[in-house]
Amino acid sequence: MIVPFGHVLALGVLLFLTGACGAMVRRELIMVLIGVEVMLNAAVLVFVAAALHWGQVDGQIFALFIIAVAAAEVAVGLALVLAARNRTGAASRDQFSSLRG
Amino acid sequence: METKVIFYILAAAIFGASVLAVSCRQAVHAALYFIVSLLGLAGLFFLLGAPLLAALEVILYAGAIMMLLLFVIMMLHTDRRDRELYRPPFWTVPVLLSLLCGAALVMLLARWPQAAELLPSAFFSPGQFGQVLFSRYWLAVELVSLLLFVALVGALYFGGREIKAARLQPGEGGDS
């Protein structure tokens, strides 16, 4: 591996900001979830690069935990999207404006 | 020299696929582009000395999570596309803010002396990974299992209520 550490970090920054833009700009709830997933992947990439740079396996273990948390987040998020869609018939995040049960 | 070329090719592929995944109008296309980005990331993890994480990225992320997302997209069958996505005043502010933030971070990286250091070609074997995971981080493993269980219960709660509502809808009253 001959690549400088900073290049991997720069790729992580680019990926994270791409995901953040997606989560902010898109209106469908599914697309907001995909933006959040892109952000989580950028975090995983930075953890793996840091593990290699400092020669410790701990960064890879935290990357594994991030993947597990992403799985939990997607399961609950998709259940919420489906429940909200069935209740109100809306798929865009701007249409969920009331918190009444 | 070889790995350097592979890294830049993979980085370009991942970034392009992620931009397409975020900006694609149809949700199914976006999910498929995101899967391409995940496969590129798995290759990059292999290059960065994490073979177990590369396998888990493909099996868990591209295999399980994205399939769940794809099935939900197909269940929702939203034919309406995001028409308001490309209207300029709506997306200029977030994109400008992100560009500003990214420029600041990249400038910070350029000034950091450690960022110029070359990465070593080390390699963490799955056995090494598992030994540290289950000795030093056993509590975190238990916490993650608890979190996954809570997520399962939450998903079943919302999904179960929905199934009950669907069962009640066609007939009047229902049996339970």
Side-chain angles (χ1 to χ4, degrees):
Chain A
M1 201 65 208
I2 324 170
V3 174
F5 186 36
H7 288 191
V8 188
L9 291 187
L11 177 63
V13 167
L14 279 177
L15 276 185
F16 188 88
L17 290 176
T18 306
C21 275
M24 283 190 283
V25 170
R26 300 306 299 257
R27 296 194 165 190
E28 293 170 29
L29 284 175
I30 293 274
M31 298 308 296
V32 175
L33 270 179
I34 289 183
V36 172
E37 294 297 309
V38 173
M39 288 161 74
L40 283 171
N41 268 301
V44 171
L45 174 65
V46 169
F47 264 113
V48 171
L52 186 63
H53 182 243
W54 279 289
Q56 290 188 332
V57 80
D58 305 60
Q60 293 190 5
I61 288 171
F62 273 91
L64 177 65
F65 289 148
I66 291 176
I67 292 179
V69 170
E73 172 245 331
V74 161
V76 177
L78 287 178
L80 276 173
V81 169
L82 277 181
R85 160 75 177 233
N86 273 13
R87 177 162 297 195
T88 65
S92 162
R93 64 167 193 226
D94 294 342
Q95 289 167 315
F96 301 117
S97 50
S98 70
L99 269 179
R100 289 184 297 119
Chain B
M1 206 58 201
E2 285 288 317
T3 49
K4 196 173 182 177
V5 176
I6 296 174
F7 172 82
Y8 289 117
I9 290 173
L10 276 178
I14 291 166
F15 183 61
S18 296
V19 169
L20 280 171
V22 154
S23 64
C24 201
R25 289 192 180 200
Q26 266 189 318
V28 177
H29 293 184
L32 292 176
Y33 278 128
F34 185 53
I35 290 177
V36 171
S37 149
L38 286 175
L39 293 180
L41 265 174
L44 203 55
F45 289 167
F46 193 79
L47 217 61
L48 289 172
L52 184 63
L53 271 183
L56 284 178
E57 181 93 356
V58 173
I59 295 168
L60 276 180
Y61 238 120
I65 298 179
M66 289 316 290
M67 282 309 118
L68 188 65
L69 206 72
L70 265 179
F71 273 120
V72 170
I73 289 170
M74 286 190 258
M75 272 175 75
L76 287 176
H77 56 82
T78 48
D79 296 326
R80 300 163 293 157
R81 300 173 186 185
D82 247 353
R83 290 208 186 80
E84 277 134 308
L85 172 63
Y86 295 106
R87 204 192 287 159
F90 188 65
W91 56 263
T92 38
V93 176
V95 170
L96 271 182
L97 280 177
S98 307
L99 281 181
L100 216 66
C101 195
L105 280 171
V106 169
M107 270 158 58
L108 213 74
L109 276 179
R111 288 170 144 266
W112 195 35
Q114 275 195 11
E117 287 175 17
L118 297 181
L119 284 171
S121 57
F123 179 82
F124 294 108
S125 71
Q128 221 176 337
F129 184 93
Q131 260 180 353
V132 179
L133 177 65
F134 287 114
S135 62
R136 201 185 303 164
Y137 292 105
W138 62 271
L139 187 61
V141 172
E142 295 301 320
L143 283 178
V144 163
S145 72
L146 196 66
L147 176 74
L148 285 174
F149 178 67
V150 170
L152 175 69
V153 171
L156 271 181
Y157 174 69
F158 288 116
R161 212 167 44 174
E162 181 186 316
I163 288 168
K164 201 185 285 178
R167 200 182 288 151
L168 282 178
Q169 233 167 14
E172 296 87 17
D175 47 2
S176 63

